[in-house]
């Protein structure tokens, strides 16, 4: 275990009730959405606000992706990683697709400062080595590039980490904030409920930019 995990989170926090190989779980094609239409629209509105849905957005990386990335319109260049080859192949916005199990190997096979933004939609709760993943995201982000994590209160409970299941929505926001805060090189995170009062799934966003280092 990463020493930062051991000193910040209690024992068992990153374990799951199903510790079988994730590739077996995700081998089944799930061409469905995992949040409702209102929450999906809230993700798209956020991406629009951040300027990720325009031809001048710069390259965007969507990690833990699937057959849809929830961008209302395509970024300048979209690279996606995920667990299921058929789902990634069905993502018609993607320019590049890579099957990648970040729980088995959190290293991202991209150059330093390769992306203007990185997104992770409704998947941060499944990461068992989140600080390693966040450090890799920071590395591949351009200075001042933003990492955006969105999530709801729905998940595959057997694959979500125990620490996530053991708390409420406010606690889950705090978990992701902590990932940013103890990963070197991010600015202070911003947390938002993107669809307050919505009758369906809540949509939370925690985001932070890669800190600009000034000499």
């Amino acid at each position: 275990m990463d020493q930062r995990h051991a000193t910040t989170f209690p024992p068992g926090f990153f374990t799951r009730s199903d510790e079988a190989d994730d590739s077996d779980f995700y081998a089944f094609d799930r061409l469905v959405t995992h949040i409702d239409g209102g929450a999906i629209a809230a993700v798209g509105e956020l991406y629009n606000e951040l300027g990720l849905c325009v031809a001048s957005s710069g390259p965007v990386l969507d990690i833990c992706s699937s057959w849809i990335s929830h961008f209302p319109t395509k970024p300048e260049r979209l690279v996606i990683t995920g667990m299921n080859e058929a789902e990634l192949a069905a993502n018609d916005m993607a320019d590049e697709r890579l099957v990648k199990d970040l729980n088995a190997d959190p290293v991202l096979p991209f150059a330093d400062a390769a992306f203007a933004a990185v997104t992770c939609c409704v998947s941060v709760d499944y990461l068992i080595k989140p600080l390693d993943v966040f450090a890799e995201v920071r590395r591949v982000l351009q200075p001042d590039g933003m990492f955006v994590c969105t999530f709801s209160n729905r998940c595959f409970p057997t694959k979500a980490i125990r620490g996530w299941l053991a708390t409420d929505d406010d606690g889950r926001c705090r978990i992701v904030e902590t990932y940013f805060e103890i990963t070197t090189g991010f600015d202070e995170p911003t947390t938002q409920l993107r669809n307050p009062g919505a009758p369906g799934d809540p949509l939370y966003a925690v985001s932070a930019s890669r800190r600009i280092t000034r000499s």
Side-chain angles (χ1 to χ4, degrees):
M1 177 183 290
D2 186 306
Q3 186 60 28
R4 294 168 297 171
H5 288 175
T7 57
T8 306
F9 301 98
F13 192 92
F14 295 102
T15 62
R16 302 162 299 171
S17 63
D18 178 6
E19 294 288 12
D21 194 325
D22 288 345
S23 62
D24 294 335
F25 182 84
Y26 292 103
F28 178 75
D29 302 342
R30 296 178 175 88
L31 299 178
V32 297
T33 54
H34 301 286
I35 46 178
D36 65 22
I40 289 171
V43 176
E45 290 167 4
L46 173 61
Y47 290 172
N48 259 329
E49 287 180 18
L50 297 174
L52 304 185
C53 306
V54 294
S56 59
S57 66
V60 176
L61 172 64
D62 186 31
I63 63 171
C64 306
S65 189
S66 182
W67 69 280
I68 186 169
S69 295
H70 303 317
F71 293 89
T73 55
K74 187 181 178 306
E76 176 182 320
R77 177 173 174 78
L78 180 62
V79 178
I80 63 174
T81 74
M83 289 289 294
N84 182 285
E85 185 173 7
E87 292 177 16
L88 298 184
N91 191 322
D92 58 7
M93 280 195 180
D95 297 288
E96 182 180 340
R97 303 163 180 83
L98 176 68
V99 176
K100 178 72 177 177
D101 182 354
L102 292 175
N103 283 340
D105 177 13
V107 176
L108 294 169
F110 306 109
D112 295 356
F115 297 98
V118 178
T119 58
C120 180
C121 184
V122 297
S123 293
V124 68
D125 42 328
Y126 304 121
L127 297 177
I128 64 173
K129 302 174 183 176
L131 300 186
D132 297 316
V133 173
F134 274 55
E136 277 292 287
V137 168
R138 185 265 175 200
R139 180 185 64 78
V140 303
L141 272 173
Q142 298 167 5
D144 207 33
M146 182 168 287
F147 183 24
V148 185
C149 293
T150 51
F151 51 90
S152 188
N153 56 4
R154 293 170 57 181
C155 65
F156 298 123
T158 61
K159 284 299 184 181
I161 60 170
R162 295 184 192 278
W164 190 270
L165 298 176
T167 189
D168 58 12
D169 289 347
D170 288 341
R172 292 165 188 144
C173 290
R174 183 59 192 146
I175 288 170
V176 183
E177 290 169 355
T178 302
Y179 294 165
F180 278 113
E181 289 167 356
I182 61 179
T183 301
T184 301
F186 280 109
D187 289 332
E188 183 177 350
T190 297
T191 301
Q192 300 172 295
L193 171 59
R194 293 294 305 183
N195 56 351
D201 298 333
L203 196 285
Y204 296 92
V206 183
S207 60
S209 297
R210 174 178 169 174
R211 186 175 301 128
I212 298 174
T213 302
R214 294 180 172 84
S215 56

